[in-house]
């Protein structure tokens, strides 16, 4: 075994696309930090992968699931360009987003009804070159749609995150990373890594979410409540 590992060492050093089954691969392109160190430690590249799809499978709302994305989105909104959300399940609560550090004047929300229209909007956003971050919600998507999105993602230096129903866990997907979210202990979100490059994950992660001092707004059950103090009036761009 030691002799075989010694023989493979030069190959593993020269080829970033080849790795031992019990290791995480060294990504040729570093990932974008998620803002959650415990999660980044489990992701190849040390963050959200770029140039491929990430699927977030969940049926829970109001358990802090948006807290998974907010640190990355807040950082992305500070750069020149658009932070694009395609058909989120509820209208964003802008004061809460602003309190979390997101520049809401750069948030572009696109409403689309049919799955094909949502996929088209995601692809157009990717191909525009004007995005700093992209997230979409797809309640229905076939393999062909996902493959078209994967091909579009390869040409961009961005993470592409898709929220999909938990029951799609058993369906095949071209996504390089698949996470499943579920409620954890108080003010925590359970994250199971279903698929990643390299060795499988064996244990779930528990990420702390923001606690609520009062019931969250009906229009945004998964977002943190705004911090105390004055907040500059945010803006929102909506395309239907």
């Amino acid at each position: 075994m030691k002799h075989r590992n010694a023989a493979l060492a030069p190959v593993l050093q020269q080829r970033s696309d080849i790795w031992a089954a019990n290791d995480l691969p060294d990504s040729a392109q570093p990932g974008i930090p998620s803002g959650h160190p415990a999660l980044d430690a489990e992701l190849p590249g040390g963050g959200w992968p770029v140039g491929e799809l990430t699927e977030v499978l969940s049926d829970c709302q109001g358990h802090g699931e948006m807290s998974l994305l907010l640190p990355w989105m807040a950082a992305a909104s500070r750069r020149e360009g658009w932070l694009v959300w395609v058909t989120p399940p509820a209208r964003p609560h802008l004061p809460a987003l602003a309190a979390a550090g997101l520049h809401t004047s750069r948030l572009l929300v696109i409403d689309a009804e049919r799955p094909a229209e949502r996929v088209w909007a995601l692809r157009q956003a990717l191909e525009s070159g004007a995005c700093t971050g992209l997230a979409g919600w797809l309640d229905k998507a076939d393999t062909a749609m996902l493959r078209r999105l994967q091909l579009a993602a390869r040409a961009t230096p961005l993470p592409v995150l898709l929220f999909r129903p938990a029951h799609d866990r058993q369906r095949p997907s071209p996504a390089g990373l698949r996470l499943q979210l579920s409620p954890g202990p108080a003010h925590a979100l359970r994250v199971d890594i279903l698929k990643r490059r390299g060795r499988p994950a064996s244990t779930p992660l528990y990420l702390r979410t923001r606690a609520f001092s009062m019931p969250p707004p009906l229009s945004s059950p998964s977002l943190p409540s705004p911090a105390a103090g004055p907040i500059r009036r945010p803006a929102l761009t909506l395309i239907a």
Side-chain angles (χ1 to χ4, degrees):
M1 178 66 69
K2 291 183 178 179
H3 176 73
R4 184 175 65 180
N5 289 343
L8 285 175
V11 177
L12 297 177
Q13 291 176 356
Q14 296 174 7
R15 294 287 301 274
S16 61
D17 59 337
I18 299 177
W19 59 86
N22 61 338
D23 293 331
L24 286 180
D26 293 328
S27 176
Q29 186 171 9
I32 304 297
S34 69
H36 305 282
L39 178 60
D40 289 345
E42 296 294 328
L43 300 181
W48 298 123
V50 298
E52 64 179 333
L53 295 181
T54 292
E55 287 187 354
V56 181
L57 307 176
S58 175
D59 287 333
C60 65
Q61 287 191 5
H63 295 280
E65 58 274 12
M66 282 301 296
S67 293
L68 181 70
L69 304 188
L70 278 179
W72 158 61
M73 290 182 172
S77 72
R78 299 185 192 107
R79 299 193 298 273
E80 189 70 25
W82 292 101
L83 180 64
V84 177
W85 291 3
V86 177
T87 318
R91 188 67 67 233
H93 186 237
L94 298 184
L97 291 175
L102 192 146
H103 292 200
T104 57
S105 61
R106 299 193 182 278
L107 178 59
L108 176 67
V109 176
I110 300 174
D111 283 340
E113 294 184 2
R114 295 184 300 169
E117 293 173 343
R118 298 182 187 187
V119 171
W120 182 87
L122 288 164
R123 292 178 61 193
Q124 294 301 308
L126 281 170
E127 294 170 3
S128 71
C131 298
T132 59
L134 181 64
W137 283 258
L138 285 176
D139 51 358
K140 296 179 182 179
D142 57 32
T143 303
M145 291 179 181
L146 295 176
R147 291 194 181 280
R148 287 195 292 270
L149 274 178
Q150 173 72 353
L151 289 174
R154 287 179 181 175
T156 68
L158 298 175
V160 181
L161 279 83
L162 297 179
F163 280 91
R164 301 185 62 199
H167 61 72
D168 283 340
R169 172 176 180 166
Q170 303 302 327
R171 297 184 179 181
S173 170
L177 176 65
R178 303 187 86 192
L179 308 178
Q180 182 163 354
L181 307 184
S182 56
H187 305 312
L189 184 68
R190 173 171 171 161
V191 181
D192 290 274
I193 302 177
L194 306 180
K195 177 184 177 182
R196 66 181 177 184
R197 306 296 184 190
R199 59 178 168 80
S202 58
T203 58
L205 300 174
Y206 293 92
L207 305 180
R208 299 293 294 177
T209 59
R210 290 174 179 249
F212 293 105
S213 58
M214 61 182 294
L218 293 178
S219 62
S220 183
S222 62
L223 296 174
S225 57
I231 298 175
R232 185 178 62 183
R233 182 177 179 84
L236 171 69
T237 301
L238 173 65
I239 295 179

